[in-house]
Amino acid sequence: MLRNLRPPPRRALPDLRAAEAAGFCGLPVLQDRECPSGCAACLPVCPGGALARTGGALALDLGRCVFCRECVTACPEGKVRFSSEHRLASGTRGGLVIGPERRAPAPAAASAAFRRLYGRSLKLHRLVLGGCDGCDCELRACADGHFDMGRWGIDWVDAARDADGLVISGPIAAAADDALLRRTWDAIVGPKMLIAVGACAIGGGPHHDSADARGFFRQHAPDLFLPGCPLHPLAFIHGVLDLLGIA
């Protein structure tokens, strides 16, 4: 009698690659028209110093943007708006600057050797160096039952020596932070991946004037930059999948 029992069909997992972050304050959109001569209303209100103007063109550095939307309120021409696009990852620091010539971050891609090693299993260690802990809260959510990045073999580990890569958040504003960062990085056996998450880690964010203990990044360029304040879990998962070339 029991042999006729069948397990219930497994429910298909949602396709995170097609998911949208409705209501999320994501990728800024800059209008094509030039700013009026002499107008700089948006520049002083940006707490991260993310905006710059060259002639009539406006550029925005996603690595410093805290997504506060003060520039939207300040701009009399309506030149800036924020979309809900959460795909914000870039493989280079310069690729985070958007403007007339680049409307979205430059894509990221790991080497073929790294993809062969970690394309099916990637263990990451989180290191929070100051800040409000907002980014780390979103990073922890990446592994919960809702987003479940483990389905692609991506997992958090508690010890750096067990990791394949290091994920950094926080402004790294003190010399002690930089020293801890170096010790943690050295504990990971190579080849290894370095990921900078959030405006604080990438460009200092609201702490950009005091975040001067950042010598580590001058020696070790991150493989992946994920801006946000905080970032969305989908932004992190999509960024890592793109880096590894996982469809």
Side-chain angles (χ1 to χ4, degrees):
M1 197 169 174
L2 291 177
R3 72 182 62 168
N4 294 326
L5 295 178
R6 296 289 185 272
R10 295 184 62 182
R11 187 177 63 178
L13 293 172
D15 182 9
L16 286 189
R17 281 302 216 175
E20 297 182 2
F24 175 65
C25 181
L27 180 66
V29 179
L30 306 180
Q31 301 300 324
D32 290 331
R33 62 183 182 274
E34 292 190 350
C35 299
S37 177
C39 180
C42 62
L43 302 185
V45 302
C46 180
L51 291 165
R53 180 180 168 180
T54 304
L58 188 67
L60 192 152
D61 184 352
L62 292 172
R64 284 192 168 189
C65 180
V66 297
F67 296 81
C68 63
R69 290 173 280 192
E70 290 294 327
C71 54
V72 178
T73 304
C75 180
E77 302 294 322
K79 187 174 175 63
V80 187
R81 70 176 179 87
F82 283 78
S83 69
S84 60
E85 177 57 63
H86 60 273
R87 294 170 179 84
L88 303 172
S90 174
T92 64
R93 180 67 181 87
L96 292 176
V97 180
I98 60 173
E101 298 180 358
R102 182 187 291 122
R103 298 298 181 182
S111 67
F114 197 94
R115 292 183 181 188
R116 285 195 300 270
L117 281 172
Y118 301 120
R120 296 176 62 87
S121 177
L122 180 66
K123 309 302 180 185
L124 298 172
H125 177 69
R126 301 191 314 275
L127 183 61
V128 185
L129 296 168
C132 66
D133 202 39
C135 286
D136 195 57
C137 287
E138 299 299 319
L139 290 173
R140 291 196 299 269
C142 293
D144 67 14
H146 186 69
F147 296 102
D148 189 22
M149 68 181 184
R151 72 182 80 171
W152 290 284
I154 306 169
D155 299 293
W156 299 122
V157 292
D158 294 330
R161 62 174 59 91
D162 297 328
D164 306 311
L166 181 62
V167 180
I168 304 167
S169 61
I172 321 173
D177 293 336
D178 190 71
L180 174 59
L181 175 52
R182 292 176 186 276
R183 290 198 302 271
T184 306
W185 178 249
D186 290 342
I188 302 175
V189 179
K192 48 192 173 182
M193 174 187 294
L194 181 62
I195 302 176
V197 168
C200 289
I202 297 172
H207 312 279
H208 66 278
D209 291 332
S210 59
D212 55 359
R214 303 174 62 82
F216 176 83
F217 285 123
R218 289 190 288 271
Q219 298 176 5
H220 306 280
D223 301 283
L224 186 64
F225 296 88
L226 287 157
C229 191
L231 86 165
H232 196 283
L234 287 176
F236 180 83
I237 293 173
H238 282 156
V240 174
L241 293 180
D242 290 345
L243 183 67
L244 296 176
I246 299 175

